[in-house]
Amino acid sequence: MQCYTELTSPTAATHSLSLPFLSASANNLVVAKTSLLQIFSFKSVLSDTNPALDSPLETRRPSTTVPGTSTTPSAGQKGDRLYTTKLVLIAQYELSGTITSLARLRILGSKSGGEALLVSLRSAKLSLVEWDPQRYSISTISIHLYEREDVQGSPWDADSLDHVNYLSVDPRSRCAALKFGARHLAILPFYQAGDDLVMDDYDPEIDGERSEPSSPILKTRYEKVNLEKTPYAASFVVSLLALDPSLSHPLHLAFLYEYREPTFGILSSQVASSSALLHERRDCLSYTVITLDLEQRASTALLTVTNLPYDLFAVIPLRLPIGGTFLVGANEVIYVDQSGKTNGVAVNEFAKISTSFAMTDQSDLGLRLEGSVVEQLGLDNSELLIITSTGELAIVGFKIDGRSVSGVSIRRCVEENGGHLMLTGPSCASIVGRGRIFIGSEQADSIVLGWSRKADKLKRQRSRTDVTIDDESDASEFDGEDMDDDEDDLYSGVKAQEEPKEAISGTVTADNSNDYRFRVHDKLEGFGPMRNITLGKISESANEFADSASEQELLVSTGCGRAGGVATFTQKIRPEIKQQYSIPEAQKIWTVRVQNLSDMQLNGPDVDEVDEVDKYIIASRNTSESDAQSAVYKVGSGRLEELTDTDFDPEAGATVEVGTLNNGTRIVQVLSNEVRTFDAEFGLAQIVPMTDEATGAEPKALRASFADPYVLLIRDDTRILLLRAEESGDLDEIELGPSLQKKEVRSGTLFEDTNDNFRLEFEDSDDEAGNVLMFLLTEGGGLQVCQAFYGKSRLVWSNFNQAQIFRLPRVQKPVYVAEGLSFLPPFLAPDFTVRRSQAREILTEILVAELGDPVQKSPFMILRSEADDLTIYQPYQAPIEGSLDTTLQFLKSSNPHCSQKSFEFETDGLDELIYRPLQVLHELGDYSAVFLPGDFPTFILKSASSPPQLVPLEGSPINSLGPFHTHSCEKGFAFLDQKAGSLEIGFASANSEQGHVNVAQLPQDSRFETGWVTRKIPLGEEVQALDCHPPSQTYVIGTSSKTDFKLPEDENHPDWGLETTLFLPRVEQGTIKVLDRETWSIIDEYPLDPYEIVTCIKSLSLEKSEHTHSRADLIAVGTAFLLGSDLPSAGGVYVFDIIPCVPNPDFPQTSRRLKMIAKEDTKGAVTALSSVGTQGFLLTAQGQKCMVRGLKEDNTLLPVAFIDMHCYTTVAKELGPPATGLCLLGDAIKGVSLAGYYEEPYQLRLFGKSDPHIEVLAADFLPDAKALYLVVADADSNVHVLQFDPENPKSLSGQRLLHLTSFHTGHFATSVTLLPVNGSDTGAQMQNRSLLLTSTTGSLRFVKALDPMTHRTLAALQSHLQTTLPHPLGLNPRAYRAATAGVDDGMAGLRGGILDGMILRRWLEPGRWRRWGDGEWEEVRKALTYIGKVEGLL
């Protein structure tokens, strides 16, 4: 009984598409990341950056945001001020499917007016979706499934899931074609108004009255399409052999441009192409153009080009002014025009060897086009961009004679022009605007690349302004958005005809400055592929204030090739403590940034001269009613100085809130019974009492909110007090309307809507209306008071809430009212119907604040419940049907985090409670954030390219936190770290110890887009294996780099010396390196032999001496030689120690180095290592054997036991610690085996085996109480759970491992790691364990063992959510996760299957009235909190 959950979403981009999706004029980018669909828009920002230093590894900080994407920079800008295109996330959706293709098409009756999105999935499914502006989300129009038995081929054909499915759409959106299975094509026609009626030869004067079309498709078009029907017609499936008998082995197809009927080009062969059979199947491919008749469901072959090179793999249709088709191969490219005329170019010297096809020789380019992506540079550009598998850029130019292409040429983009900005191969590419392209990658960060052409910019500037442009200025000016005019000249068809010589220029040399120049605009961070993972212990010197019980981090190998490196993952933010102060009996603190009025008058409008830093800290000390005090401290260099000679009265009582007004010149202190204002030197200016003049009552202030020049106070009688600061700084009370005076208000907040995001109407008669909005959380049932814990009473609220918005200073009538807020609907609108259900959430706080980074900041409404759950709403403008106006609505953001708050507390001896509200931080590093204080302190962070993320803050319970900005701690925060008392409904006990005020910053170079704290350390080489060496506080990593492979001199092969090729194959060369944890730098390395690579690294406690039996933490390394298939495999086992040494004076971290203890050459590749037994021996998987080796005194590895394996051992692990001798051995083809190691005598004995058809990629043990499970990840992205149970009759006394269940994850697994448990309890070592899984998609996942009661509760919840929740693209999560092949009969479901944690964590997503488990909500919450914890990691 287990639960599967994704800790982080996939980050590797697999597909991308640019289209107007949100509206007809929008420019959007859709990115698919395996099972994640993201929708982006674009924004131009003015950045401080130097284009000469552009690198995709750097993180840029834009300084000035420019709204929109069409803003033109001034012509006088210099090189350090550039307009940069940034990605802004609109929405993202987790799918129950694996995306294989994306396509855009125009449909009739689109809700948004934009185009629709057609998504194909791995299981031969098509989903048609559009953007619904009313719900600010995607809307599924239809879903089409073609995986049926009647369309399958012969019985011996492979399953359809084993074939590559791809999608292509006609450029005029008349139909879509899905190739699935071996050779089947599904055609889905779409209605287009008049497309067949306008273009025919019908003339009413000659042909008479036109008869009504007989075809259903044309009939519907003739009637201009009944919009009440679907935008598509009935689809049909045809075999490619029915279209043309020669299409028996299709490779790729795509619809072509400029054809009257839907026409596609397909690349195929009659026999399977193979490089091994090149002498027999040379030039076996053919290119066929086929036009479709959708009415008759017929086809016609227009032309066929035969005898094409065998290595072609892609069909690229080209728009005008070129037209035709571009075929891409590994060694050549071929252009085919509409008449079948061809022009080929050989890009390396192997082209002339592998084909007889006539081509232009440009073999000196030395390009490798396998896995490359080709994209046309703009809609009207005649040149193409090639991105190779190594990240190199090349430009394809065409020579045009009249209306035909007479020549094709290719030139490289040199490094000086940004030709190497892409570090590794792409997976997709999409043009996203003039001079902009998005390049997605599965092996590195995905980037937005911009380009321009220097020569044309200089020519235009000289002709228009007659000025000379220096090298510094033109580097910036041609990069701006003012390229539109420039590109109109550059990409025009007239110019291509007038100056053909520039279009066919050959290889560009380094001094050619007239070619394209590229720079990186933005990036999406990617962590795929993750090959290996290790748990490291952070040293105490890294953070002396950190909790010693939570000092572990994950180190993951990421990237390929030059993008290789490592990345750290931690669940909590470990702040960098800059200073620590002590404030006796402090309960809450506020930082004050105030400006002296005389200084501001002296500097005038030049605000840069004003030193805007936090100068004071106000603390509320002691919380008993009689001894409540406040104190003010001046921030000095390294210390706090309490101010006593000011008008600030410490005896006035405990402070409720502190803020500043009048542009930061007036300090406002809110006390429970009055409001005091001070000048910049804490001279008392005004006292505003809380006395109600009408009734004479003396209510107390509970909360306060500031928005210059207003102050909102929430009193304990559920009424509000609204104050406004005049120009003199004095506070005046704003008279409330009669309705608002009677409102019972639970919470309120002020928000300055400077960008008019809410777009609420202004009153025509109100000239004083500003942009400050007041949000009130009101009650329909009133406030009741009963005896309990608030002083002498406890607050008890009704469970019906209403949201009201007022535009200040008008408070007579709200400008917006939303009923039924306590139902927490997915879409909150003014016309939301209040249901009669009693299932309402008890809300305690409302906050409206901006979240984001310098690129994009957006307002969000955050609601806090009694259980400390946070519900985040995003405002948006929804169109009103039948009107051009819009209305304000709110969309609930996905928040998979349940509060970990416990309600089990004692109530005896509690004093007065102090409320801990949410805290807004406008400058937290580069973020605008919100902080949730309490026992589980959490930041809400958001970047422009990610949704809001809840990231916990490490440390003890934090009652108070505020922004802190000084010269020594820029854009940091100060928090009060103390052990608080009990927690109840957002209140903390007054009893506390001495508080420590910590001044800190967010960790440098860390990112939070995944919901975890991540940091990438680029190494420039691919990391194959790694492990942590705790004694030396280092990581040992095995890297590889590409090197040329040349045949060695061999007397048995004299022909090897005759090799004359300069285009040598490239193989990997391995190196063992030591990575210092403190500086993240390489401090030592050990190069391996030529063509030897690292396959595995383990830090193990091994026995060093046979006589003394002493043990030490050593590094074991397994290697393999890449020698080719005609030579026997070989490898080696290395044993290293990390010893101290004399460091380099300039680099003190180099005080440790590698020392080789032993080396043993093996006949086979060493593919897995592990410790085994209690004597400190080493288990090695080498070739087709697994051996147990011991380290001898002469530094050799003596084998003492072995067991025969099958083909290729991928996994060798021992269950422990403590050592048990149980070994898991996995084979890449023959399944998994369980063996036992005996020490007297030494032997390895087989206990049980699994189904031999499981292709084991990674596996590990999962002990659970007295049961022993084995979790295996296979090559089909499935996770299998096996059990070793000798007492079960079906196991044949344990010889057969029981296959309990299988679960499809959708992610290709690379490692499975059993997480350790805290503590040394032997019983705890065998229960409640978790497995951490890594994948090629850059996603961290884990499988957690569950007890039977928790499993039953969550299984019922999962069943409810699967049937009630809306699933994006109309996909079925049950079918997606089903992978029952190989499960033993009678075992599936008997022990409980694997639960889908991705569904379970959506429990808070539906409205409160639809949430399952009303009577058992606490049990459900505990279960969800349990599966969300990753024990053994933090």
Side-chain angles (χ1 to χ4, degrees), residues 6 25 378 437 449 463 611 874 882 1127 1169 1185 1223 1354:
E6 291 182 12
S25 60
I437 184 173
L449 204 62
S463 63
D611 194 11
Q874 178 184 1
L1127 295 176
L1169 296 170
K1185 294 183 182 294
C1223 300
L1354 295 180

Side-chain angles (χ1 to χ4, degrees), residues 344-644:
V345 177
V347 298
N348 58 55
E349 61 185 67
F350 282 109
K352 64 180 72 174
I353 302 175
S354 61
T355 181
S356 301
F357 192 84
M359 292 181 292
T360 303
D361 186 12
Q362 283 193 266
S363 58
D364 57 328
L365 290 172
L367 292 176
R368 308 170 193 265
L369 298 184
E370 299 94 337
S372 61
V373 173
V374 181
E375 192 70 28
Q376 193 167 350
L377 287 173
L379 299 178
D380 53 356
N381 195 347
S382 60
E383 293 183 313
L384 307 180
L385 176 67
I386 298 179
I387 310 109
T388 68
S389 58
T390 58
E392 298 175 281
L393 304 182
I395 303 296
V396 180
F398 297 91
K399 180 180 179 180
I400 301 177
D401 289 339
R403 300 183 62 182
S404 64
V405 174
S406 61
V408 181
S409 66
I410 302 177
R411 60 189 186 273
R412 283 178 178 268
C413 295
V414 296
E415 185 175 0
E416 289 78 3
N417 291 342
H420 294 168
L421 289 176
M422 192 70 187
L423 297 179
T424 187
S427 59
C428 56
S430 300
I431 298 294
V432 296
R434 285 190 177 275
R436 305 290 185 267
I437 184 173
F438 173 81
I439 304 176
S441 177
E442 297 182 74
Q443 303 173 350
D445 295 340
S446 302
I447 62 175
V448 176
L449 204 62
W451 72 84
S452 58
R453 208 165 189 172
K454 182 178 180 181
D456 292 312
K457 183 65 180 179
L458 291 171
K459 187 182 302 182
R460 184 177 72 89
Q461 289 291 338
R462 290 194 181 100
S463 63
R464 296 184 182 179
T465 61
D466 195 24
V467 296
T468 301
I469 301 178
D470 57 10
D471 293 336
E472 181 182 2
S473 62
D474 53 43
S476 67
E477 292 175 10
F478 62 61
D479 261 308
E481 295 290 342
D482 60 343
M483 289 175 51
D484 291 0
D485 296 336
D486 190 25
E487 290 170 334
D488 289 341
D489 297 333
L490 174 63
Y491 302 144
S492 63
V494 176
K495 182 172 182 178
Q497 297 178 14
E498 292 177 352
E499 302 180 28
K501 294 182 180 180
E502 291 186 17
I504 61 170
S505 59
T507 305
V508 177
T509 57
D511 59 351
N512 191 343
S513 60
N514 296 332
D515 206 358
Y516 293 96
R517 301 189 67 180
F518 296 88
R519 72 180 181 95
V520 176
H521 284 244
D522 200 4
K523 69 176 182 178
L524 295 179
E525 198 166 36
F527 295 98
M530 297 178 171
R531 286 187 175 84
N532 212 333
I533 192 169
T534 185
L535 273 72
K537 191 82 169 178
I538 297 179
S539 63
E540 294 184 1
S541 60
N543 188 353
E544 58 180 314
F545 302 104
D547 188 358
S548 60
S550 56
E551 295 177 350
Q552 288 189 337
E553 68 181 358
L554 291 175
L555 189 73
V556 185
S557 61
T558 65
C560 293
R562 294 187 298 128
V566 294
T568 62
F569 282 76
T570 55
Q571 274 192 305
K572 297 182 178 181
I573 296 176
R574 296 187 177 99
E576 295 182 359
I577 307 296
K578 301 297 183 180
Q579 189 65 43
Q580 188 178 79
Y581 309 105
S582 295
I583 299 181
E585 298 181 343
Q587 277 293 304
K588 198 170 182 180
I589 60 171
W590 295 266
T591 58
V592 180
R593 186 180 307 179
V594 63
Q595 301 298 331
N596 196 307
L597 184 59
S598 59
D599 293 340
M600 295 191 66
Q601 293 174 349
L602 179 64
N603 291 284
D606 192 1
V607 296
D608 293 336
E609 298 295 332
V610 180
D611 194 11
E612 294 186 356
V613 297
D614 289 302
K615 300 179 180 179
Y616 303 101
I617 292 179
I618 295 179
S620 179
R621 301 186 305 187
N622 203 338
T623 57
S624 63
E625 188 68 26
S626 57
D627 298 328
Q629 295 181 354
S630 298
V632 59
Y633 299 85
K634 185 175 182 179
V635 178
S637 57
R639 62 188 181 89
L640 290 181
E641 178 185 354
E642 184 174 1
L643 300 182
T644 57

Side-chain angles (χ1 to χ4, degrees), residues 133-136 751 753 756-761 773-775 803-807 815-819 827-832 848 859-861 873-880 885-891:
Q134 186 67 34
R135 303 179 72 85
Y136 206 71
F751 176 73
D753 190 15
D756 196 22
N757 293 286
F758 290 92
R759 302 184 191 175
L760 296 174
E761 296 182 359
L773 301 178
M774 179 173 63
F775 293 77
Q804 293 187 345
I805 305 178
F806 295 82
R807 183 180 295 278
V815 293
Y816 186 87
V817 178
E819 300 284 350
F827 299 91
L828 182 63
D831 56 354
F832 173 74
V848 178
F860 288 85
M861 182 174 67
Y873 278 97
Q874 178 184 1
Y876 69 95
Q877 297 295 323
I880 300 176
D885 297 332
T886 60
T887 181
L888 176 63
Q889 296 189 11
F890 293 86
L891 171 67

Side-chain angles (χ1 to χ4, degrees), residues 668-682:
V668 180
Q669 179 193 18
V670 179
L671 303 171
S672 60
N673 56 356
E674 62 186 16
V675 177
R676 297 191 175 196
T677 62
F678 303 89
D679 59 17
E681 303 297 333
F682 278 93

Side-chain angles (χ1 to χ4, degrees), residues 231-355:
Y232 54 88
S235 63
F236 56 94
V237 176
V238 296
S239 173
L240 289 175
L241 296 177
L243 301 180
D244 193 320
S246 64
L247 306 179
S248 57
H249 293 80
L251 296 179
H252 191 243
L253 66 85
F255 279 92
L256 307 181
Y257 294 92
E258 304 306 321
Y259 281 90
R260 177 177 176 179
E261 296 294 336
T263 304
F264 65 87
I266 182 169
L267 194 64
S268 65
S269 66
Q270 291 186 338
V271 294
S273 60
S274 172
S275 58
L277 300 175
L278 192 59
H279 59 287
E280 296 181 1
R281 302 181 181 181
R282 188 186 185 93
D283 298 338
C284 60
L285 299 186
S286 62
Y287 171 71
T288 307
V289 177
I290 299 175
T291 183
L292 298 176
D293 187 342
L294 299 180
E295 179 184 359
Q296 302 297 331
R297 296 189 177 183
S299 64
T300 303
L302 301 182
L303 64 89
T304 300
V305 181
T306 59
N307 299 326
L308 294 175
Y310 82 101
D311 56 355
L312 296 175
F313 61 86
V315 177
I316 310 297
L318 302 182
R319 305 180 182 89
L320 290 179
I322 300 299
T325 308
F326 194 71
L327 306 179
V328 185
N331 306 309
E332 68 283 317
V333 295
I334 299 174
Y335 170 76
V336 183
D337 64 11
Q338 293 184 350
S339 63
K341 179 184 174 181
T342 61
N343 289 276
V345 177
V347 298
N348 58 55
E349 61 185 67
F350 282 109
K352 64 180 72 174
I353 302 175
S354 61
T355 181

Side-chain angles (χ1 to χ4, degrees), residues 66 119 198 243 332 346 411 569 590 695 725 847 962 1220 1246 1307 1370 1406:
V66 181
V119 183
V198 176
L243 301 180
E332 68 283 317
R411 60 189 186 273
F569 282 76
W590 295 266
T695 63
L847 177 69
T1220 60
L1246 181 65
H1307 303 277

Side-chain angles (χ1 to χ4, degrees), residues 660-890:
T660 59
L661 296 177
N662 276 27
N663 296 322
T665 61
R666 189 59 59 96
I667 304 172
V668 180
Q669 179 193 18
V670 179
L671 303 171
S672 60
N673 56 356
E674 62 186 16
V675 177
R676 297 191 175 196
T677 62
F678 303 89
D679 59 17
E681 303 297 333
F682 278 93
L684 183 63
Q686 185 183 10
I687 298 179
V688 180
M690 295 290 295
T691 305
D692 191 337
E693 297 180 357
T695 63
E698 297 182 356
K700 294 183 178 180
L702 297 180
R703 313 172 196 176
S705 179
F706 293 85
D708 202 0
Y710 300 98
V711 181
L712 172 65
L713 304 178
I714 309 296
R715 308 186 309 195
D716 60 356
D717 59 354
T718 70
R719 300 296 186 265
I720 67 171
L721 177 63
L722 187 60
L723 304 176
R724 177 177 181 174
E726 303 297 337
E727 293 183 1
S728 62
D730 294 337
L731 295 178
D732 291 336
E733 182 178 353
I734 297 179
E735 184 178 356
L736 305 179
S739 60
L740 191 55
Q741 290 179 354
K742 299 179 182 179
K743 282 290 183 182
E744 298 179 349
V745 179
R746 175 179 300 184
S747 178
T749 182
L750 299 179
F751 176 73
E752 186 176 3
D753 190 15
T754 55
N755 297 322
D756 196 22
N757 293 286
F758 290 92
R759 302 184 191 175
L760 296 174
E761 296 182 359
F762 287 84
E763 294 289 342
D764 296 336
S765 59
D766 189 2
D767 297 332
E768 299 181 357
N771 53 12
V772 177
L773 301 178
M774 179 173 63
F775 293 77
L776 297 180
L777 182 64
T778 63
E779 303 186 56
L783 174 67
Q784 301 177 359
V785 181
C786 63
Q787 292 294 114
F789 309 119
Y790 189 84
K792 297 299 182 178
S793 62
R794 175 185 178 183
L795 293 179
V796 179
W797 295 288
S798 66
N799 57 358
F800 176 76
N801 299 107
Q802 178 190 77
Q804 293 187 345
I805 305 178
F806 295 82
R807 183 180 295 278
L808 301 184
R810 293 186 59 88
V811 292
Q812 305 300 323
K813 184 179 70 173
V815 293
Y816 186 87
V817 178
E819 300 284 350
L821 186 62
S822 57
F823 290 99
L824 299 181
F827 299 91
L828 182 63
D831 56 354
F832 173 74
T833 303
V834 180
R835 301 179 181 271
R836 296 182 179 180
S837 172
Q838 296 300 316
R840 301 181 177 95
E841 192 74 43
I842 301 179
L843 302 177
T844 60
E845 186 176 359
I846 182 174
L847 177 69
V848 178
E850 285 188 337
L851 298 177
D853 56 12
V855 174
Q856 177 74 15
K857 294 181 181 180
S858 303
F860 288 85
M861 182 174 67
I862 304 174
L863 302 175
R864 185 179 182 182
S865 71
E866 181 188 34
D868 265 359
D869 287 331
L870 297 181
T871 303
I872 303 175
Y873 278 97
Q874 178 184 1
Y876 69 95
Q877 297 295 323
I880 300 176
E881 187 175 356
S883 173
L884 297 178
D885 297 332
T886 60
T887 181
L888 176 63
Q889 296 189 11
F890 293 86

Side-chain angles (χ1 to χ4, degrees), residues 922-971:
H922 297 289
E923 290 185 345
L924 181 65
D926 285 339
Y927 296 92
S928 293
V930 172
F931 177 72
L932 171 66
D935 286 352
F936 304 97
T938 304
F939 281 112
I940 305 176
L941 301 172
K942 183 188 183 305
S943 68
S945 58
S946 72
Q949 301 285 359
L950 275 70
V951 187
L953 177 63
E954 187 182 72
S956 59
I958 296 176
N959 292 337
S960 182
L961 181 145
F964 191 84
H965 175 71
T966 61
H967 298 295
S968 60
C969 182
E970 295 183 356
K971 298 181 180 181

